[in-house]
Amino acid sequence: MAQPTAQTDRDLTSIHEARSLVRRAKEAAATLAELSQEQIDAIVDAMAAAVTPQAEALARLAHEETGYGVVADKVQKNLFASEKVYRFIRPMKTVGVIGRLEDRKVIEIAEPFGVVAAIVPSTNPTSTAIYKILISLKARCPIVISPHPAAVRCISRVAEIMNEGARRAGAPEGSISWMSTVTLEGTQELMKARETAVILATGGMGLVRAAYSAGKPAYGVGPGNAPAYIERSADVTKAVRDIVTGKTFDNGVLCSSENSVVVDGPLVDEVKRQFVANGAHFLSASEIEALGKALVSPQRLPNPALVGRPATYIAQQTGISVEPSTRVLIAELAGVGRDYPLSIEKLCPVLSFYVVSDWREGCERCKQILRYGGMGHTMSIHSRNDDVILQFGLKKPAYRIVVNSPTTHGSIGLTTGLDPAMTLGCGGYGGNITSDNISPRHLINVKRLAYEVTPAVITARPAAVPAAAALPKAPALPPKPAGLAAESLARRIDQFLASRGYAAPPDAAPLTPAPAGVAPAASKPMPAAAPTAPPAEKPADFVCEDDVRQAVRTGRKIKVGERTIVTPAARDLAEQHKVFVQAEWPRA
């Protein structure tokens, strides 16, 4: 027998921990479901108040533990979650009656989904944890967090701070839980646990697929690969500044950050000048090849060692010489797909660059980019032509089309009017259940009281009539026949007995009654029953109960085969008296 390994022990510990935490959360769910709106809001207030002052400390902890991103940007993301998301969800009704449709006489009532299994990534660990805890408790749902193994400390610290605030405000024990021993097996156990009601998964495509295959309702978000199109009417200076701002924000680790730039031909020279002025370095053909080999794995995934790192660090690691002020690396590509490694989502300050003749070609190029790993997610257009902007809205397979703003900031609702969120649905294009920015509304179900507004139509039926009157008068029956002649009756009896194996001896007198007034001749006694007839060579086609009774009386057997039809009563009686003989099965 194989000896358990250290990893096996960790897996078992993680599985046990997931089971324990989700059971405790299930117990808390019953209490949370009974809290009033005022009590829930007090808990949300307390959690936001507890975590907001810790935004910088948590940002530093996340940067130290993961090595990803920029501390100042992580502070901004933490405050976005603890302040802007909080202000957005605070007025929401999530308890009791949440809507009355007076004209339709429908009352809507909120019902919490139940235990939330939350998967938190290493790229945006603390901000995503703050956001998911807030929206879960606002919906009266307890949450169990599975942190990314590379960010366990910083995510756990967020959960500890918010749990302390929630408990002080009256949240039951088990409302906020987090795994400390995290393995793939433990996370899968959490997602598949009977007590888990819904999954909030943010991470790579493999994780998202696992969430959707766990047999639970799931909100999963995968890669973005967002293109940014600069149309010929754009304010080029602002467009380039926005793209660089979005791409370098936290070193490009948000899945909605820009990954490609698509530029109308007449603007190319000006766009390049503006990029260089904003700290961009345009790569040579040899540098593009070297960077592609270093940054993109054979599985077409970004190298974790370069994810979320500054452009200067990435250049140094790949042997590319750049100015110390370089903020972003740009690779001019001729196409999209496996032959162009840098056309994928890169999660670092690297952009691919394409030139098109007009907005129609730009439209097609953006579609190609989205199809290569970003379907349904996000893109941006920089233009002052409202007709072209609308065409992009109508034609692009992305559910967040940010206009004249960085995709990173606009998609999450930081610079746009979209619902502020750190989990962005990709809808049917991306294989997700919704295209929305996820909020507490997605963690409640709505019951509806529906009053009658249109009386049911009763179908007219004919008036009832007395039973006697309803029946038609029976026609007169013809007179009954006088009966069978004696000779005919005797002949039929002889035929029936013969069919059952009896035959009268040659000298037997016919069963013909004597004429009236004449004494009948002395008749010979009936012969004894004939010996049991051997089973017929051919199996019977059909056997009913009467056939079995006759066989029992006469002591004979009935041969049945695979095609014989036997009534249930016949089978029961035959089994009781052992009447059936099974014919041999046909040989193959």
Side-chain angles (χ1 to χ4, degrees), residues 26-158:
K26 181 67 173 179
E27 294 173 0
T31 303
L32 280 172
E34 297 302 319
L35 298 184
S36 68
Q37 187 71 70
E38 292 74 19
Q39 290 171 310
I40 288 295
D41 290 343
I43 292 170
V44 173
D45 293 345
M47 292 190 300
V51 78
T52 296
Q54 303 297 322
E56 183 174 351
L58 292 170
R60 293 188 182 281
L61 182 59
H63 183 264
E64 291 170 5
E65 186 175 10
T66 67
Y68 296 157
V70 179
V71 171
D73 293 340
K74 290 187 180 298
V75 173
Q76 189 175 352
K77 288 194 298 185
N78 289 342
L79 292 175
F80 166 78
S82 69
E83 294 183 336
K84 185 158 186 175
V85 171
Y86 162 71
R87 287 194 299 270
F88 174 70
I89 69 174
R90 180 58 171 80
M92 287 184 184
K93 290 184 178 181
T94 56
V95 181
V97 175
I98 60 174
R100 293 178 181 270
L101 310 179
E102 300 295 348
D103 57 329
R104 292 161 52 189
K105 298 184 71 173
V106 172
I107 299 175
E108 297 178 330
I109 301 171
E111 185 75 13
F113 224 120
V115 178
V116 175
I119 317 302
V120 179
S122 58
T123 48
N124 306 289
T126 53
S127 54
T128 302
I130 294 169
Y131 152 77
K132 289 188 176 182
I133 292 171
L134 282 174
I135 66 170
S136 296
L137 271 292
K138 177 68 178 182
R140 292 182 290 162
C141 295
I143 182 172
V144 181
I145 297 173
S146 174
H148 190 284
V152 173
R153 283 193 298 119
C154 63
I155 293 170
S156 297
R157 184 59 188 143
V158 169

Side-chain angles (χ1 to χ4, degrees), residues 365-581:
R365 180 62 81 187
C366 289
K367 286 182 181 178
Q368 293 172 4
I369 295 166
L370 289 167
R371 291 188 187 113
Y372 196 51
M375 287 291 283
H377 207 295
T378 301
M379 70 160 293
S380 67
I381 178 171
H382 297 269
S383 172
R384 288 180 283 204
N385 186 327
D386 288 336
D387 291 337
V388 172
I389 292 171
L390 181 58
Q391 287 302 314
F392 266 67
L394 293 171
K395 303 296 185 182
K396 293 296 145 305
Y399 287 112
R400 274 156 295 275
I401 300 175
V402 178
V403 181
N404 296 325
S405 189
T407 59
T408 309
H409 300 67
S411 61
I412 64 174
L414 188 59
T415 60
T416 66
L418 296 177
D419 292 358
M422 295 296 292
T423 298
L424 314 178
C426 298
Y429 285 130
N432 297 170
I433 194 64
T434 182
S435 60
D436 297 342
N437 287 14
I438 305 302
S439 76
R441 298 188 188 100
H442 298 87
L443 300 179
I444 61 174
N445 291 313
V446 179
K447 296 188 290 189
R448 292 172 175 86
L449 288 174
Y451 290 79
E452 182 178 81
V453 294
T454 304
V457 176
I458 301 176
T459 305
R461 300 179 184 276
V465 295
L471 294 175
K473 188 176 181 179
L477 297 175
K480 292 183 178 180
L484 291 174
E487 294 84 359
S488 177
L489 177 60
R491 195 163 48 250
R492 292 194 181 185
I493 292 173
D494 290 341
Q495 290 173 351
F496 175 77
L497 292 175
S499 68
R500 297 299 181 182
Y502 292 97
D507 57 346
L511 296 175
T512 303
V518 179
S523 59
K524 296 181 180 179
M526 286 289 292
T532 303
E537 291 296 327
K538 181 180 178 183
D541 294 326
F542 176 85
V543 180
C544 67
E545 184 180 7
D546 186 60
D547 294 325
V548 177
R549 291 187 184 280
Q550 292 291 343
V552 171
R553 291 191 192 104
T554 60
R556 63 188 181 88
K557 302 291 185 180
I558 299 176
K559 179 176 283 189
V560 294
E562 62 174 340
R563 297 182 180 276
T564 303
I565 299 173
V566 182
T567 66
R571 186 174 299 280
D572 292 342
L573 189 60
E575 290 178 355
Q576 179 182 350
H577 295 280
K578 312 296 183 184
V579 169
F580 285 163
V581 174

Side-chain angles (χ1 to χ4, degrees), residues 181-443:
T181 304
V182 186
T183 68
L184 177 60
E185 286 72 15
T187 300
Q188 289 176 334
E189 181 67 24
L190 172 63
M191 292 192 293
K192 294 179 180 179
R194 180 180 58 187
E195 294 84 357
T196 295
V198 62
I199 301 169
L200 280 180
T202 308
M205 185 54 69
L207 171 66
V208 173
R209 286 175 180 153
Y212 275 109
S213 63
K216 307 286 182 177
Y219 297 108
V221 180
N225 206 22
Y229 174 54
I230 305 177
E231 193 262 340
R232 64 189 62 204
S233 69
D235 179 342
V236 173
T237 302
K238 182 180 186 305
V240 171
R241 186 174 63 246
D242 284 348
I243 292 170
V244 173
T245 298
K247 188 56 183 172
T248 58
F249 183 75
D250 208 18
N251 283 339
V253 293
L254 270 81
C255 54
S256 59
S257 67
E258 291 87 344
N259 271 277
S260 300
V261 183
V262 180
V263 184
D264 270 358
L267 302 181
V268 171
D269 293 339
E270 178 62 18
V271 166
K272 285 187 175 182
R273 279 195 296 271
Q274 290 295 328
F275 266 115
V276 172
N278 280 273
H281 173 83
F282 281 84
L283 301 166
S284 66
S286 60
E287 290 172 338
I288 291 173
E289 183 178 3
L291 180 58
K293 289 179 180 178
L295 180 59
V296 183
S297 73
Q299 293 75 33
R300 293 301 184 264
L301 297 172
N303 180 355
L306 300 180
V307 166
R309 307 290 180 170
T312 49
Y313 176 87
I314 295 170
Q316 180 184 18
Q317 295 300 307
T318 52
I320 298 172
S321 178
V322 299
E323 295 292 330
S325 60
T326 299
R327 300 174 64 199
V328 62
L329 306 176
I330 300 181
E332 297 184 70
L333 303 180
V336 178
R338 295 188 67 84
D339 294 334
Y340 305 93
L342 295 178
S343 63
I344 67 161
E345 180 187 42
K346 293 167 276 292
L347 296 177
C348 61
V350 176
L351 288 166
S352 51
F353 190 91
Y354 301 91
V355 179
V356 295
S357 59
D358 57 22
W359 72 266
R360 290 179 177 82
E361 186 181 345
C363 186
E364 291 306 310
R365 180 62 81 187
C366 289
K367 286 182 181 178
Q368 293 172 4
I369 295 166
L370 289 167
R371 291 188 187 113
Y372 196 51
M375 287 291 283
H377 207 295
T378 301
M379 70 160 293
S380 67
I381 178 171
H382 297 269
S383 172
R384 288 180 283 204
N385 186 327
D386 288 336
D387 291 337
V388 172
I389 292 171
L390 181 58
Q391 287 302 314
F392 266 67
L394 293 171
K395 303 296 185 182
K396 293 296 145 305
Y399 287 112
R400 274 156 295 275
I401 300 175
V402 178
V403 181
N404 296 325
S405 189
T407 59
T408 309
H409 300 67
S411 61
I412 64 174
L414 188 59
T415 60
T416 66
L418 296 177
D419 292 358
M422 295 296 292
T423 298
L424 314 178
C426 298
Y429 285 130
N432 297 170
I433 194 64
T434 182
S435 60
D436 297 342
N437 287 14
I438 305 302
S439 76
R441 298 188 188 100
H442 298 87
L443 300 179

